[in-house]
Amino acid sequence: MSIELNQSLQPALQTRVTPKQIAANAILAMSSVELTEAIANELEENPALEMAEHSTCPICGSTITGSHCTECLPRGSAGAGPGEIAESVSGDWVAREETDDLDPIARAEAEFTLSEHLGWSLRVLLPHRLLPVVEYAIGALDENGFLTDADEEIAIATGVSPADVATVRDVMRGIEPIGVGSRNIAESLAAQVAYLRESGEAAVPTIAEAIIGEHLADLGERRFAQIAAALGVSSQEVVAAWEFVKSNLHPYPAAAFHVATAGSSRAILRPDVLIRVVDGEIQVEVVESRRFSLRVDATYARLSAGMRSADASEADRQHVREYVGRARFFIDNVNRRRATLQRIAECLVDRQRDYLLHGVQHLVPLTRAEVGAHIGMHESTVSRATAEKYVMLPTGEVVPFGHFFTASLGIKDQIRKMIEAEGSRPLSDQEIADQLAGDGVAIARRTVAKYRDELQLLPARLRRR
């Protein structure tokens, strides 16, 4: 018996991701801020790369006329009289006097967030050893400003005692917006009542704490007589307490913060894509093409063209080849990103034309897979290209790309309008579902409740009358 060893070659196909594809995908996934940082780093490291910046609005990339950008103003906005212009606040336009500061750089400043506000305040009020607890607690707040983790969990994660966590929570609940860091609505309202009673800013009914702590559900259901009997007071006193709660307290601390800061700190999003209606036609443009252009430095381009010169040493040739090749590689990836965004945006305009022209009620169901199939890209590429990127609509509103893929926005808008237009009696979730069904929208009551919570609208029993 003999053993023979033989070698043979067999052709085989393998899919491998090249370094160029990895770099291109990384740039494609970058937000506009991240891309700006990446370009700045590349300019610093690569002498063969050159950027020509254009004098444009830092928000939309348009040429600035006078002291403000006309493209950032709404098209045909109503309510702006002579000598007035309008300004965008999260898609809503409000009149401003022409003498107001319209410096585009100032308008592009980031919003002072609730997390930043709490971080600054708590660092001043608490000892340094509790700062890890502060950071953890701020990170554990949900969108309503409620703390989602138990004191024991936070204590274990940060290496302190539950009493230390309780100290941080007590201080946090006393910072504007009062009640932030509470576990639920009742605890938030109780913190606000304690603050108002101590500060004397409002006349607090003597039974306010008892009602919030023991009869909040009954108060929401307007069982005034039952509460009065349980507390041994008159129904008039309970009604007065109810009016106090409606007028002075806010169930969601985070929402109260945003309302309080809306007039002074405005988040201005920088769109990546502009969609406009010009002469009845919808036009799409990637903003980067307006803001800057990248090219190979003229000196390096000339040296690269004369690489065969006998005067150039091998080290010089290697230097020029390396940096010019790197610059062209980077420019190509940025241009690919721009072209990909353009193709995706044009597809979205084609599929969501009615939404762009007539509003959110005309938004049709659309998936990233469908867009990818239409333009010959993989779904993951579409997701990567649209993540953390924004579009300026013809109305001047700046929205995430994800809006085009969220068919529920139309239903949410209907729910919001129905609640805003309700009369003396608030509509229950089931009644809203029934009305939507009458309009041809099949939706379950629990889905209405979910969308209402996402809109941060109170249930019927807690809405004002």
Side-chain angles (χ1 to χ4, degrees):
M1 179 178 175
S2 62
I3 300 176
E4 294 183 0
L5 298 177
N6 295 316
Q7 290 183 337
S8 62
L9 297 176
Q10 293 182 343
L13 294 177
Q14 290 184 336
T15 301
R16 292 186 178 180
V17 181
T18 65
K20 185 172 184 177
Q21 288 174 317
I22 295 174
N25 286 338
I27 290 179
L28 180 63
M30 290 179 181
S31 65
S32 59
V33 174
E34 291 171 335
L35 179 63
T36 301
E37 294 176 354
I39 292 174
N41 292 335
E42 190 67 19
L43 287 169
E44 185 177 349
E45 297 174 4
N46 188 352
L49 183 65
E50 184 179 53
M51 181 173 73
E53 293 188 79
H54 310 304
S55 180
T56 58
C57 172
I59 301 171
C60 72
S62 302
T63 301
I64 299 176
T65 303
S67 61
H68 60 276
C69 172
T70 56
E71 294 295 343
C72 284
L73 301 179
R75 285 49 161 180
S77 58
E84 295 181 335
I85 58 178
E87 185 179 23
S88 170
V89 184
S90 302
D92 297 322
W93 298 94
V94 294
R96 283 187 50 154
E97 294 296 331
E98 191 171 15
T99 55
D100 286 353
D101 181 15
L102 284 172
D103 177 34
I105 302 297
R107 295 179 69 239
E109 289 180 350
E111 180 184 17
F112 187 59
T113 65
L114 176 59
S115 297
E116 292 171 335
H117 165 67
L118 294 175
W120 280 104
S121 301
L122 292 173
R123 282 181 176 85
V124 174
L125 298 173
L126 292 168
H128 187 270
R129 69 178 184 85
L130 294 182
L131 294 187
V133 183
V134 170
E135 295 176 359
Y136 188 103
I138 292 175
L141 294 175
D142 66 12
E143 61 183 7
N144 294 318
F146 296 145
L147 192 59
T148 56
D149 293 358
D151 288 0
E152 292 74 14
E153 294 179 58
I154 301 176
I156 294 172
T158 56
V160 300
S161 68
D164 287 332
V165 178
T167 298
V168 173
R169 284 221 306 134
D170 288 341
V171 175
M172 182 183 290
R173 286 199 300 269
I175 295 174
E176 293 284 355
I178 304 300
V180 66
S182 300
R183 303 287 186 196
N184 49 49
I185 292 177
E187 188 176 329
S188 171
L189 296 179
Q192 295 171 53
V193 168
Y195 171 80
L196 292 175
R197 190 179 293 282
E198 181 179 350
S199 64
E201 292 184 13
V204 181
T206 56
I207 59 174
E209 289 90 346
I211 290 178
I212 290 172
E214 303 170 16
H215 304 282
L216 188 59
D218 292 331
L219 189 67
E221 297 292 344
R222 314 301 198 273
R223 301 191 185 108
F224 300 143
Q226 184 175 329
I227 297 173
L231 297 179
V233 297
S234 66
S235 296
Q236 288 76 11
E237 291 179 87
V238 176
V239 172
W242 165 237
E243 294 297 333
F244 166 82
V245 170
K246 289 196 302 179
S247 303
N248 297 278
L249 308 184
H250 200 296
Y252 302 119
F257 175 82
H258 296 314
V259 169
T261 58
S264 58
S265 179
R266 303 178 175 187
I268 305 297
L269 300 174
R270 293 180 61 173
D272 299 90
V273 174
L274 305 178
I275 299 178
R276 293 189 173 89
V277 177
V278 180
D279 297 329
E281 295 294 326
I282 300 180
Q283 296 183 355
V284 179
E285 184 178 6
V286 178
V287 184
E288 292 164 16
S289 59
R290 294 182 170 205
R291 290 179 177 148
F292 63 85
S293 58
L294 296 172
R295 58 178 177 246
V296 176
D297 179 78
T299 301
Y300 274 81
R302 187 171 61 253
L303 290 174
S304 178
M307 288 279 286
R308 296 180 181 178
S309 172
D311 297 333
S313 66
E314 182 58 33
D316 291 338
R317 293 192 185 98
Q318 179 61 28
H319 173 84
V320 172
R321 277 196 298 265
E322 177 184 349
Y323 284 106
V324 170
R326 176 174 168 178
R328 288 173 177 165
F329 178 76
F330 187 82
I331 293 170
D332 183 52
N333 285 336
V334 172
N335 289 338
R336 283 174 179 268
R337 177 187 190 272
R338 189 175 297 168
T340 301
L341 281 175
Q342 182 78 21
R343 291 177 62 190
I344 292 173
E346 288 174 351
C347 178
L348 292 175
V349 166
D350 182 60
R351 298 294 300 274
Q352 300 286 13
R353 184 180 183 85
D354 288 341
Y355 160 55
L356 294 170
L357 295 178
H358 306 298
V360 71
Q361 292 296 331
H362 298 271
L363 192 67
V364 300
L366 182 66
T367 66
R368 292 170 177 82
E370 290 175 322
V371 172
H374 184 76
I375 62 178
M377 290 183 183
H378 193 272
E379 177 184 0
S380 62
T381 303
V382 177
S383 297
R384 191 178 296 114
T386 56
E388 297 185 44
K389 297 180 182 67
Y390 298 87
V391 180
M392 179 179 280
L393 304 180
T395 60
E397 181 182 5
V398 179
V399 301
F401 261 101
H403 269 46
F404 290 91
F405 306 104
T406 310
S408 63
L409 284 177
I411 301 175
K412 288 181 181 178
D413 188 62
Q414 284 183 268
I415 293 173
R416 177 183 59 78
K417 289 180 178 178
M418 289 169 65
I419 291 177
E420 289 177 351
E422 63 190 8
S424 59
R425 188 181 68 82
L427 297 172
S428 68
D429 294 338
Q430 185 60 57
E431 289 172 330
I432 293 174
D434 293 340
Q435 288 191 26
L436 289 173
D439 294 334
V441 179
I443 186 173
R445 182 204 58 78
R446 60 180 179 274
T447 307
V448 171
K450 173 187 173 184
Y451 289 167
R452 177 178 49 71
D453 287 341
E454 290 175 357
L455 292 168
Q456 290 194 340
L457 297 173
L458 294 171
R461 67 177 185 275
L462 295 178
R463 290 202 295 272
R464 296 184 182 182
R465 297 191 177 187

